[in-house]
Amino acid sequence: MENNGNTAILKIHCPDQSGIVARVTDFINLHHGNIISVDQHVDHEENLFSMRVSWDLSEFDLKREEIAPMFEKFLGEPYQMKWTLNFTDEVPRMAIFVSKASHCLYDLLARYQGGEFRVEVPVIIGNHTTLEPVAKQFGIDFVHIPITAESKAEQEKKELEILKKYKIDFVVLARYMQVVSQNFINHYPERIINIHHSFLPAFAGAKPYHAAHKRGVKIIGATSHYVTSDLDAGPIIEQDINRISHHDSIKTLIQKGKDIEKIVLARAVKAHIERKTLVYKNRTIIFN
Amino acid sequence: MENNGNTAILKIHCPDQSGIVARVTDFINLHHGNIISVDQHVDHEENLFSMRVSWDLSEFDLKREEIAPMFEKFLGEPYQMKWTLNFTDEVPRMAIFVSKASHCLYDLLARYQGGEFRVEVPVIIGNHTTLEPVAKQFGIDFVHIPITAESKAEQEKKELEILKKYKIDFVVLARYMQVVSQNFINHYPERIINIHHSFLPAFAGAKPYHAAHKRGVKIIGATSHYVTSDLDAGPIIEQDINRISHHDSIKTLIQKGKDIEKIVLARAVKAHIERKTLVYKNRTIIFN
Amino acid sequence: MENNGNTAILKIHCPDQSGIVARVTDFINLHHGNIISVDQHVDHEENLFSMRVSWDLSEFDLKREEIAPMFEKFLGEPYQMKWTLNFTDEVPRMAIFVSKASHCLYDLLARYQGGEFRVEVPVIIGNHTTLEPVAKQFGIDFVHIPITAESKAEQEKKELEILKKYKIDFVVLARYMQVVSQNFINHYPERIINIHHSFLPAFAGAKPYHAAHKRGVKIIGATSHYVTSDLDAGPIIEQDINRISHHDSIKTLIQKGKDIEKIVLARAVKAHIERKTLVYKNRTIIFN
Amino acid sequence: MENNGNTAILKIHCPDQSGIVARVTDFINLHHGNIISVDQHVDHEENLFSMRVSWDLSEFDLKREEIAPMFEKFLGEPYQMKWTLNFTDEVPRMAIFVSKASHCLYDLLARYQGGEFRVEVPVIIGNHTTLEPVAKQFGIDFVHIPITAESKAEQEKKELEILKKYKIDFVVLARYMQVVSQNFINHYPERIINIHHSFLPAFAGAKPYHAAHKRGVKIIGATSHYVTSDLDAGPIIEQDINRISHHDSIKTLIQKGKDIEKIVLARAVKAHIERKTLVYKNRTIIFN
């Protein structure tokens, strides 16, 4: 629906006031934009309004560069909005960080190559070389940047240079298994997506399947979230679970978990690519 | 949110045109209605627009009786809308039809008595007397109307009289196990909710658990739908499933199925009570 | 299958050794017991063997009182087994502890009265009188035992007396909202079943839905477990979840959570009644 | 657990009689086999016994070639068993049939290459060349065999020759979109695994997502089954579902469905590879 290259996507976040939906849709209609989708949410506890609206630009009578200033003047400023405007023909560029586990990487690349994700993936960064052949298989550049506690600051600089060089818009940690620094996060706020192999906030930190097995849970999960400086505590984008039983060993938990990790990460990445996520108060809104 | 008794709920259905959301929310804002929730859907294939909006009436400057004519004049008629207007202090009256199985009845009554449903349940009709004690337990009138193939037309007349006497708005068939006639349905179009004990359209008709067992499915389900003249083919309101295995006999399927039936029916009834359902083209929209 | 009143259920737990299944089933076959079900589990990490076997006693050539000593002599003692033997015509007696929330109580009683649970429920104990009418509705004795921090030790004594008087085998805390003391637990080890309204170990303690809302999870859960002295840390019997979204307020979380709590508690209680649970290392095995 | 190359897997199916589990485990113990797993099922309605047992061969005192005749003599024949014996170092050889859709193929190959499947995949057969590059990516032979209604018989002969040449043990139809003939099936009875993109028996045949959308279901599913001569009616190995809503178009149904298809097919293939499936009466037992 929104894939024909001339669609605008506007995300809005502001204090709730009467009439915002009407004003925004009026603005679009007035300029002959054909609205494709509208989704809005009011958080009555926080008195906050959020909205995502997309419209067809084919008969829109504003030039692209005119939209933002005019919207800011007539709506953004008066309503104290934080807003972003994107166009679907601006394809975001995604880097994937990996370590040794291949399942999430394969899944992301298969979706990328199969046309599920409207994204470019120009580079994969690994702290091991294990997955270099997978990158090669899919014809994607692979950069090996080993990391130790001592070399971290320095190596993250290199990573940031590579991300800059490849004009990366957002980063996916596909079971990267490294904590990224505050400095690194500052370069990609709300643009680093991690997959944690547990149902957060249960079993944050290392070895969640071991912890889940020890605790004797009957369900395991995975959580995809934006990375913040608090480990495994960033805004959750997506979660899912799988039922297990006493028959499961740590080994089978890890195996079954892979399937949830893959799908949860893929859904989160897709929502991000399609500009359907909005973060506030360390939570997310996932628009339709 | 909508339970304080002075909330209006408007449901709209019409050909899709530019600007409808804006016009409707303008109408409400103009008269100082404080919008509580908006949910809308556009079916691009059918070019149909649907919307549910609710607003607080405490500062609304139209009298109740003025809303409908004014809305029809300025919006309903020009936009060829089918629309309904309800107020949350008008509590709908629900009749429950039962046969011998108690699980759905108990579940509905427990929710009713526990305050989950904003509804009145003045009467239960049974084609057997098995569940009369349950009605008594909850202090609700029970009417026994046995039905045979021969007596059906006549007995349905009695049922309709009872529904009229108790001023019933909608009917829930809580494992009633009887096919209701077209004539009966005509009195309550889109207002008779059934629970079928399978994942429709699989296993329509009698003995779905037997059929599921024979087919060797790995998942069973339940479906709640509005009753139409086509058996088990009405618009689906809600479905859910439960995983089973080769260990399950027909007996345990029936047992496990009860839990899905209860919850699926309860969700459907709740959506109906809260005016969150909209039927078109034999499908439903379930608003937020 | 096991409901005809003359079925024996044997649960076994011991160090894993070669041939146990064969020895146990031989013992039963030798005495003309017709095996109805066998389920076994080996924990290879802990080298522990567990088994549940049930058999029809109609042609069994040992008298009931002979089974235990003979089994202990020939199998229990040699294999260092911990084992329990029950007969399905010995119907366990269950007490329900409640506070103010009705949903779990209604669900348990509806199942009890509808014949889903092979159990007796002679008494309900409440620290408030709120649910006394529900007990009355179902014709079950209700005892009001208010509890404060100061009166706890004393009041728990009263509770234990009541449990003794009613010959209670196990206790279900149906949203009881009180921490029970170590002394109380000692009287019913692995025989007090609690429902916690979160996906443990996430959100242990008070107000889990508030915590879940704050954390911005996309899924909520409920956990039924045996009560131990560590709050919300006992062996988990059953868990389940429900998907939520940013549209959910704390209020709707609580509402949606009720449905999971009910079903998770009911499954746990059913497993316990049917002697399908086995606890070790603070985890459970749930037999088929 | 069973991956160390010297494990035997025995699957048994026979009329239920007292003592079979004991006899079989005795046989293994007697010859110093260390049992790794036992799972059994009795279908009381059909009076049929089924069992899967695996054991470590490292201290087993029968030679491989001695096991089968001895087992048949002492157990198979007397108990009228149908049984199969496999060894985990005999890695089965799997062919994948594809058409144009890539998602299932990628998923299977990623699991294969990632070590999740103990299988060899020497060849992929496609009726289109669309996925030849994917085969190449993973270094697997690709054979293009176009099929029309007229050429079917002839082309299936070619396929069978290729399967023979590559010594294929079983075939996976990964969204192959062609009905295979009875003759073809006869060469691989209970060894052709299909994925159907609906929750069977709902929406058998062509375009199930279109049918699901038209019917207005609230849940979509996928079904993996062994292929028989009745279209989409073979024994079901695995099913799973995904919740949808009125917001979903046919396009998004197809997209969401892919994720279920992938996982359901992968689980079915894994169960087959690990010799955990047993077919009878057009149903399956899936052992632990």
PDB file of all heavy atoms in Angstrom, chain A residues 106-107 111 113 116 137-138 247 251 255 259 262 288, chain D residues 1 106-107 111 113 116 137-138 247 255 259 262 288:
ATOM      1  N   TYR A 106      20.647 -14.999   9.177  1.00  0.00           N
ATOM      2  CA  TYR A 106      20.032 -15.665   8.023  1.00  0.00           C
ATOM      3  C   TYR A 106      18.599 -15.188   7.815  1.00  0.00           C
ATOM      4  O   TYR A 106      18.163 -14.924   6.700  1.00  0.00           O
ATOM      5  CB  TYR A 106      19.991 -17.180   8.232  1.00  0.00           C
ATOM      6  CG  TYR A 106      21.168 -17.927   7.675  1.00  0.00           C
ATOM      7  CD1 TYR A 106      21.908 -18.776   8.491  1.00  0.00           C
ATOM      8  CD2 TYR A 106      21.540 -17.820   6.333  1.00  0.00           C
ATOM      9  CE1 TYR A 106      22.991 -19.493   8.003  1.00  0.00           C
ATOM     10  CE2 TYR A 106      22.612 -18.535   5.832  1.00  0.00           C
ATOM     11  CZ  TYR A 106      23.344 -19.364   6.664  1.00  0.00           C
ATOM     12  OH  TYR A 106      24.397 -20.070   6.165  1.00  0.00           O
ATOM     13  N   ASP A 107      17.870 -15.098   8.900  1.00  0.00           N
ATOM     14  CA  ASP A 107      16.461 -14.734   8.777  1.00  0.00           C
ATOM     15  C   ASP A 107      16.308 -13.318   8.236  1.00  0.00           C
ATOM     16  O   ASP A 107      15.496 -13.066   7.338  1.00  0.00           O
ATOM     17  CB  ASP A 107      15.771 -14.864  10.144  1.00  0.00           C
ATOM     18  CG  ASP A 107      14.268 -14.772  10.028  1.00  0.00           C
ATOM     19  OD1 ASP A 107      13.672 -15.658   9.384  1.00  0.00           O
ATOM     20  OD2 ASP A 107      13.681 -13.822  10.550  1.00  0.00           O
ATOM     21  N   ARG A 111      14.787 -12.364   4.433  1.00  0.00           N
ATOM     22  CA  ARG A 111      13.673 -11.426   4.263  1.00  0.00           C
ATOM     23  C   ARG A 111      14.084 -10.243   3.370  1.00  0.00           C
ATOM     24  O   ARG A 111      13.309  -9.772   2.541  1.00  0.00           O
ATOM     25  CB  ARG A 111      13.218 -10.896   5.629  1.00  0.00           C
ATOM     26  CG  ARG A 111      12.520 -11.945   6.464  1.00  0.00           C
ATOM     27  CD  ARG A 111      12.321 -11.453   7.897  1.00  0.00           C
ATOM     28  NE  ARG A 111      11.944 -12.545   8.774  1.00  0.00           N
ATOM     29  CZ  ARG A 111      10.687 -12.931   9.017  1.00  0.00           C
ATOM     30  NH1 ARG A 111       9.692 -12.292   8.455  1.00  0.00           N
ATOM     31  NH2 ARG A 111      10.438 -13.935   9.828  1.00  0.00           N
ATOM     32  N   GLN A 113      16.457 -10.221   1.080  1.00  0.00           N
ATOM     33  CA  GLN A 113      16.610 -10.675  -0.303  1.00  0.00           C
ATOM     34  C   GLN A 113      15.262 -11.084  -0.902  1.00  0.00           C
ATOM     35  O   GLN A 113      15.040 -10.943  -2.106  1.00  0.00           O
ATOM     36  CB  GLN A 113      17.608 -11.819  -0.353  1.00  0.00           C
ATOM     37  CG  GLN A 113      18.143 -12.055  -1.739  1.00  0.00           C
ATOM     38  CD  GLN A 113      19.507 -12.755  -1.700  1.00  0.00           C
ATOM     39  OE1 GLN A 113      20.480 -12.261  -1.128  1.00  0.00           O
ATOM     40  NE2 GLN A 113      19.554 -13.930  -2.286  1.00  0.00           N
ATOM     41  N   GLU A 116      10.885  -8.710   1.636  1.00  0.00           N
ATOM     42  CA  GLU A 116       9.962  -8.390   2.729  1.00  0.00           C
ATOM     43  C   GLU A 116      10.272  -7.049   3.377  1.00  0.00           C
ATOM     44  O   GLU A 116       9.383  -6.416   3.940  1.00  0.00           O
ATOM     45  CB  GLU A 116      10.031  -9.479   3.814  1.00  0.00           C
ATOM     46  CG  GLU A 116       9.327 -10.751   3.443  1.00  0.00           C
ATOM     47  CD  GLU A 116       9.338 -11.742   4.599  1.00  0.00           C
ATOM     48  OE1 GLU A 116       9.173 -11.323   5.757  1.00  0.00           O
ATOM     49  OE2 GLU A 116       9.517 -12.944   4.329  1.00  0.00           O
ATOM     50  N   GLN A 137      27.823 -15.010   1.058  1.00  0.00           N
ATOM     51  CA  GLN A 137      26.733 -15.699   0.362  1.00  0.00           C
ATOM     52  C   GLN A 137      25.699 -14.744  -0.184  1.00  0.00           C
ATOM     53  O   GLN A 137      25.139 -14.947  -1.254  1.00  0.00           O
ATOM     54  CB  GLN A 137      26.003 -16.583   1.384  1.00  0.00           C
ATOM     55  CG  GLN A 137      26.168 -18.064   1.232  1.00  0.00           C
ATOM     56  CD  GLN A 137      25.335 -18.780   2.293  1.00  0.00           C
ATOM     57  OE1 GLN A 137      25.493 -18.521   3.479  1.00  0.00           O
ATOM     58  NE2 GLN A 137      24.458 -19.675   1.863  1.00  0.00           N
ATOM     59  N   PHE A 138      25.438 -13.710   0.607  1.00  0.00           N
ATOM     60  CA  PHE A 138      24.394 -12.762   0.227  1.00  0.00           C
ATOM     61  C   PHE A 138      24.978 -11.509  -0.442  1.00  0.00           C
ATOM     62  O   PHE A 138      24.260 -10.543  -0.685  1.00  0.00           O
ATOM     63  CB  PHE A 138      23.565 -12.373   1.454  1.00  0.00           C
ATOM     64  CG  PHE A 138      22.610 -13.451   1.900  1.00  0.00           C
ATOM     65  CD1 PHE A 138      23.045 -14.526   2.659  1.00  0.00           C
ATOM     66  CD2 PHE A 138      21.275 -13.416   1.529  1.00  0.00           C
ATOM     67  CE1 PHE A 138      22.167 -15.533   3.062  1.00  0.00           C
ATOM     68  CE2 PHE A 138      20.388 -14.404   1.930  1.00  0.00           C
ATOM     69  CZ  PHE A 138      20.842 -15.475   2.693  1.00  0.00           C
ATOM     70  N   HIS A 247      10.497 -31.622  29.720  1.00  0.00           N
ATOM     71  CA  HIS A 247      11.352 -32.401  28.826  1.00  0.00           C
ATOM     72  C   HIS A 247      12.503 -31.563  28.264  1.00  0.00           C
ATOM     73  O   HIS A 247      13.485 -32.117  27.770  1.00  0.00           O
ATOM     74  CB  HIS A 247      10.538 -32.972  27.658  1.00  0.00           C
ATOM     75  CG  HIS A 247       9.621 -34.070  28.046  1.00  0.00           C
ATOM     76  ND1 HIS A 247      10.078 -35.266  28.565  1.00  0.00           N
ATOM     77  CD2 HIS A 247       8.269 -34.172  28.015  1.00  0.00           C
ATOM     78  CE1 HIS A 247       9.040 -36.056  28.825  1.00  0.00           C
ATOM     79  NE2 HIS A 247       7.931 -35.407  28.510  1.00  0.00           N
ATOM     80  N   LYS A 251      19.771 -27.168  26.241  1.00  0.00           N
ATOM     81  CA  LYS A 251      20.072 -27.269  24.815  1.00  0.00           C
ATOM     82  C   LYS A 251      18.810 -27.104  23.948  1.00  0.00           C
ATOM     83  O   LYS A 251      18.812 -26.371  22.960  1.00  0.00           O
ATOM     84  CB  LYS A 251      20.691 -28.647  24.553  1.00  0.00           C
ATOM     85  CG  LYS A 251      21.250 -28.802  23.160  1.00  0.00           C
ATOM     86  CD  LYS A 251      21.853 -30.193  23.000  1.00  0.00           C
ATOM     87  CE  LYS A 251      21.982 -30.560  21.527  1.00  0.00           C
ATOM     88  NZ  LYS A 251      22.401 -31.964  21.351  1.00  0.00           N
ATOM     89  N   GLN A 255      17.544 -24.071  21.386  1.00  0.00           N
ATOM     90  CA  GLN A 255      17.076 -24.363  20.035  1.00  0.00           C
ATOM     91  C   GLN A 255      15.700 -23.757  19.777  1.00  0.00           C
ATOM     92  O   GLN A 255      15.470 -23.073  18.785  1.00  0.00           O
ATOM     93  CB  GLN A 255      17.055 -25.888  19.840  1.00  0.00           C
ATOM     94  CG  GLN A 255      16.655 -26.310  18.461  1.00  0.00           C
ATOM     95  CD  GLN A 255      17.506 -25.630  17.410  1.00  0.00           C
ATOM     96  OE1 GLN A 255      18.723 -25.683  17.463  1.00  0.00           O
ATOM     97  NE2 GLN A 255      16.861 -24.949  16.454  1.00  0.00           N
ATOM     98  N   ASP A 259      13.891 -19.804  17.283  1.00  0.00           N
ATOM     99  CA  ASP A 259      12.746 -19.510  16.420  1.00  0.00           C
ATOM    100  C   ASP A 259      11.985 -18.274  16.871  1.00  0.00           C
ATOM    101  O   ASP A 259      11.456 -17.522  16.055  1.00  0.00           O
ATOM    102  CB  ASP A 259      11.800 -20.713  16.364  1.00  0.00           C
ATOM    103  CG  ASP A 259      12.330 -21.788  15.430  1.00  0.00           C
ATOM    104  OD1 ASP A 259      13.296 -21.514  14.688  1.00  0.00           O
ATOM    105  OD2 ASP A 259      11.796 -22.900  15.447  1.00  0.00           O
ATOM    106  N   LYS A 262      14.242 -15.034  16.136  1.00  0.00           N
ATOM    107  CA  LYS A 262      14.186 -14.658  14.729  1.00  0.00           C
ATOM    108  C   LYS A 262      12.940 -13.853  14.401  1.00  0.00           C
ATOM    109  O   LYS A 262      12.994 -12.791  13.784  1.00  0.00           O
ATOM    110  CB  LYS A 262      14.146 -15.927  13.856  1.00  0.00           C
ATOM    111  CG  LYS A 262      15.457 -16.566  13.603  1.00  0.00           C
ATOM    112  CD  LYS A 262      15.331 -18.038  13.244  1.00  0.00           C
ATOM    113  CE  LYS A 262      14.520 -18.304  11.995  1.00  0.00           C
ATOM    114  NZ  LYS A 262      14.647 -19.743  11.592  1.00  0.00           N
ATOM    115  N   ASN A 288      -0.516   0.777  13.520  1.00  0.00           N
ATOM    116  CA  ASN A 288      -1.009  -0.207  12.548  1.00  0.00           C
ATOM    117  C   ASN A 288      -0.283  -0.043  11.214  1.00  0.00           C
ATOM    118  O   ASN A 288      -0.142   1.048  10.719  1.00  0.00           O
ATOM    119  CB  ASN A 288      -2.501   0.020  12.285  1.00  0.00           C
ATOM    120  CG  ASN A 288      -3.332  -0.517  13.417  1.00  0.00           C
ATOM    121  OD1 ASN A 288      -2.973  -1.518  14.025  1.00  0.00           O
ATOM    122  ND2 ASN A 288      -4.440   0.152  13.713  1.00  0.00           N
TER     123      ASN A 288
ATOM    124  N   MET D   1      21.568 -34.813  22.435  1.00  0.00           N
ATOM    125  CA  MET D   1      21.485 -36.046  23.233  1.00  0.00           C
ATOM    126  C   MET D   1      21.645 -37.260  22.334  1.00  0.00           C
ATOM    127  O   MET D   1      22.370 -38.199  22.637  1.00  0.00           O
ATOM    128  CB  MET D   1      20.113 -36.122  23.911  1.00  0.00           C
ATOM    129  CG  MET D   1      20.142 -36.755  25.268  1.00  0.00           C
ATOM    130  SD  MET D   1      20.967 -35.664  26.441  1.00  0.00           S
ATOM    131  CE  MET D   1      19.606 -34.609  26.954  1.00  0.00           C
ATOM    132  N   TYR D 106      14.663 -20.607   2.082  1.00  0.00           N
ATOM    133  CA  TYR D 106      15.693 -19.936   2.877  1.00  0.00           C
ATOM    134  C   TYR D 106      15.717 -20.480   4.307  1.00  0.00           C
ATOM    135  O   TYR D 106      16.759 -20.727   4.881  1.00  0.00           O
ATOM    136  CB  TYR D 106      15.418 -18.432   2.942  1.00  0.00           C
ATOM    137  CG  TYR D 106      16.094 -17.618   1.875  1.00  0.00           C
ATOM    138  CD1 TYR D 106      15.365 -16.775   1.061  1.00  0.00           C
ATOM    139  CD2 TYR D 106      17.482 -17.660   1.703  1.00  0.00           C
ATOM    140  CE1 TYR D 106      15.978 -15.990   0.082  1.00  0.00           C
ATOM    141  CE2 TYR D 106      18.093 -16.893   0.719  1.00  0.00           C
ATOM    142  CZ  TYR D 106      17.346 -16.057  -0.078  1.00  0.00           C
ATOM    143  OH  TYR D 106      17.956 -15.292  -1.034  1.00  0.00           O
ATOM    144  N   ASP D 107      14.543 -20.603   4.870  1.00  0.00           N
ATOM    145  CA  ASP D 107      14.482 -21.025   6.267  1.00  0.00           C
ATOM    146  C   ASP D 107      15.052 -22.431   6.447  1.00  0.00           C
ATOM    147  O   ASP D 107      15.830 -22.690   7.375  1.00  0.00           O
ATOM    148  CB  ASP D 107      13.034 -20.965   6.765  1.00  0.00           C
ATOM    149  CG  ASP D 107      12.945 -21.111   8.264  1.00  0.00           C
ATOM    150  OD1 ASP D 107      13.457 -20.219   8.968  1.00  0.00           O
ATOM    151  OD2 ASP D 107      12.396 -22.119   8.738  1.00  0.00           O
ATOM    152  N   ARG D 111      18.662 -23.314   8.421  1.00  0.00           N
ATOM    153  CA  ARG D 111      18.708 -24.279   9.525  1.00  0.00           C
ATOM    154  C   ARG D 111      19.679 -25.406   9.212  1.00  0.00           C
ATOM    155  O   ARG D 111      20.412 -25.889  10.082  1.00  0.00           O
ATOM    156  CB  ARG D 111      17.310 -24.871   9.769  1.00  0.00           C
ATOM    157  CG  ARG D 111      16.344 -23.877  10.385  1.00  0.00           C
ATOM    158  CD  ARG D 111      14.922 -24.413  10.381  1.00  0.00           C
ATOM    159  NE  ARG D 111      13.949 -23.381  10.658  1.00  0.00           N
ATOM    160  CZ  ARG D 111      13.537 -23.041  11.884  1.00  0.00           C
ATOM    161  NH1 ARG D 111      13.985 -23.705  12.924  1.00  0.00           N
ATOM    162  NH2 ARG D 111      12.662 -22.076  12.053  1.00  0.00           N
ATOM    163  N   GLN D 113      22.283 -25.252   7.167  1.00  0.00           N
ATOM    164  CA  GLN D 113      23.650 -24.771   7.231  1.00  0.00           C
ATOM    165  C   GLN D 113      24.049 -24.382   8.658  1.00  0.00           C
ATOM    166  O   GLN D 113      25.200 -24.497   9.046  1.00  0.00           O
ATOM    167  CB  GLN D 113      23.801 -23.581   6.282  1.00  0.00           C
ATOM    168  CG  GLN D 113      25.241 -23.263   5.963  1.00  0.00           C
ATOM    169  CD  GLN D 113      25.357 -22.514   4.636  1.00  0.00           C
ATOM    170  OE1 GLN D 113      24.942 -22.993   3.582  1.00  0.00           O
ATOM    171  NE2 GLN D 113      25.898 -21.324   4.698  1.00  0.00           N
ATOM    172  N   GLU D 116      21.044 -27.005  12.567  1.00  0.00           N
ATOM    173  CA  GLU D 116      19.836 -27.394  13.315  1.00  0.00           C
ATOM    174  C   GLU D 116      19.292 -28.750  12.872  1.00  0.00           C
ATOM    175  O   GLU D 116      18.627 -29.437  13.645  1.00  0.00           O
ATOM    176  CB  GLU D 116      18.735 -26.346  13.123  1.00  0.00           C
ATOM    177  CG  GLU D 116      18.952 -25.084  13.917  1.00  0.00           C
ATOM    178  CD  GLU D 116      17.775 -24.129  13.783  1.00  0.00           C
ATOM    179  OE1 GLU D 116      16.621 -24.595  13.759  1.00  0.00           O
ATOM    180  OE2 GLU D 116      18.013 -22.912  13.686  1.00  0.00           O
ATOM    181  N   GLN D 137      23.685 -20.043  -3.897  1.00  0.00           N
ATOM    182  CA  GLN D 137      24.190 -19.360  -2.708  1.00  0.00           C
ATOM    183  C   GLN D 137      24.636 -20.348  -1.642  1.00  0.00           C
ATOM    184  O   GLN D 137      25.601 -20.124  -0.929  1.00  0.00           O
ATOM    185  CB  GLN D 137      23.048 -18.542  -2.106  1.00  0.00           C
ATOM    186  CG  GLN D 137      23.165 -17.051  -2.175  1.00  0.00           C
ATOM    187  CD  GLN D 137      21.967 -16.417  -1.478  1.00  0.00           C
ATOM    188  OE1 GLN D 137      20.813 -16.698  -1.814  1.00  0.00           O
ATOM    189  NE2 GLN D 137      22.230 -15.576  -0.507  1.00  0.00           N
ATOM    190  N   PHE D 138      23.855 -21.414  -1.514  1.00  0.00           N
ATOM    191  CA  PHE D 138      24.124 -22.385  -0.450  1.00  0.00           C
ATOM    192  C   PHE D 138      24.912 -23.591  -0.981  1.00  0.00           C
ATOM    193  O   PHE D 138      25.093 -24.571  -0.274  1.00  0.00           O
ATOM    194  CB  PHE D 138      22.801 -22.838   0.187  1.00  0.00           C
ATOM    195  CG  PHE D 138      22.189 -21.812   1.095  1.00  0.00           C
ATOM    196  CD1 PHE D 138      21.454 -20.752   0.594  1.00  0.00           C
ATOM    197  CD2 PHE D 138      22.383 -21.889   2.473  1.00  0.00           C
ATOM    198  CE1 PHE D 138      20.895 -19.795   1.442  1.00  0.00           C
ATOM    199  CE2 PHE D 138      21.830 -20.949   3.321  1.00  0.00           C
ATOM    200  CZ  PHE D 138      21.082 -19.895   2.800  1.00  0.00           C
ATOM    201  N   HIS D 247      -7.744  -5.090   9.854  1.00  0.00           N
ATOM    202  CA  HIS D 247      -6.774  -4.246   9.162  1.00  0.00           C
ATOM    203  C   HIS D 247      -6.016  -5.016   8.078  1.00  0.00           C
ATOM    204  O   HIS D 247      -5.422  -4.415   7.196  1.00  0.00           O
ATOM    205  CB  HIS D 247      -5.759  -3.675  10.153  1.00  0.00           C
ATOM    206  CG  HIS D 247      -6.317  -2.618  11.043  1.00  0.00           C
ATOM    207  ND1 HIS D 247      -6.803  -1.431  10.561  1.00  0.00           N
ATOM    208  CD2 HIS D 247      -6.485  -2.568  12.385  1.00  0.00           C
ATOM    209  CE1 HIS D 247      -7.241  -0.695  11.565  1.00  0.00           C
ATOM    210  NE2 HIS D 247      -7.062  -1.361  12.685  1.00  0.00           N
ATOM    211  N   GLN D 255       1.784 -12.081   3.772  1.00  0.00           N
ATOM    212  CA  GLN D 255       3.046 -11.764   4.431  1.00  0.00           C
ATOM    213  C   GLN D 255       3.133 -12.407   5.812  1.00  0.00           C
ATOM    214  O   GLN D 255       4.105 -13.078   6.145  1.00  0.00           O
ATOM    215  CB  GLN D 255       3.177 -10.234   4.531  1.00  0.00           C
ATOM    216  CG  GLN D 255       4.472  -9.776   5.130  1.00  0.00           C
ATOM    217  CD  GLN D 255       5.652 -10.376   4.410  1.00  0.00           C
ATOM    218  OE1 GLN D 255       5.764 -10.310   3.209  1.00  0.00           O
ATOM    219  NE2 GLN D 255       6.540 -11.026   5.156  1.00  0.00           N
ATOM    220  N   ASP D 259       5.517 -16.348   7.807  1.00  0.00           N
ATOM    221  CA  ASP D 259       6.227 -16.663   9.047  1.00  0.00           C
ATOM    222  C   ASP D 259       5.705 -17.943   9.697  1.00  0.00           C
ATOM    223  O   ASP D 259       6.466 -18.693  10.302  1.00  0.00           O
ATOM    224  CB  ASP D 259       6.108 -15.498  10.041  1.00  0.00           C
ATOM    225  CG  ASP D 259       7.056 -14.367   9.683  1.00  0.00           C
ATOM    226  OD1 ASP D 259       7.931 -14.581   8.825  1.00  0.00           O
ATOM    227  OD2 ASP D 259       6.931 -13.285  10.261  1.00  0.00           O
ATOM    228  N   LYS D 262       6.871 -21.046   7.445  1.00  0.00           N
ATOM    229  CA  LYS D 262       8.275 -21.378   7.671  1.00  0.00           C
ATOM    230  C   LYS D 262       8.464 -22.222   8.926  1.00  0.00           C
ATOM    231  O   LYS D 262       9.133 -23.259   8.907  1.00  0.00           O
ATOM    232  CB  LYS D 262       9.087 -20.080   7.878  1.00  0.00           C
ATOM    233  CG  LYS D 262       9.494 -19.377   6.642  1.00  0.00           C
ATOM    234  CD  LYS D 262       9.751 -17.899   6.882  1.00  0.00           C
ATOM    235  CE  LYS D 262      10.882 -17.637   7.867  1.00  0.00           C
ATOM    236  NZ  LYS D 262      11.259 -16.189   7.840  1.00  0.00           N
ATOM    237  N   ASN D 288       8.055 -37.313  21.850  1.00  0.00           N
ATOM    238  CA  ASN D 288       8.910 -36.320  22.514  1.00  0.00           C
ATOM    239  C   ASN D 288      10.340 -36.403  21.977  1.00  0.00           C
ATOM    240  O   ASN D 288      10.887 -37.467  21.850  1.00  0.00           O
ATOM    241  CB  ASN D 288       8.971 -36.590  24.014  1.00  0.00           C
ATOM    242  CG  ASN D 288       7.708 -36.143  24.705  1.00  0.00           C
ATOM    243  OD1 ASN D 288       7.105 -35.171  24.300  1.00  0.00           O
ATOM    244  ND2 ASN D 288       7.322 -36.864  25.732  1.00  0.00           N
TER     245      ASN D 288
END
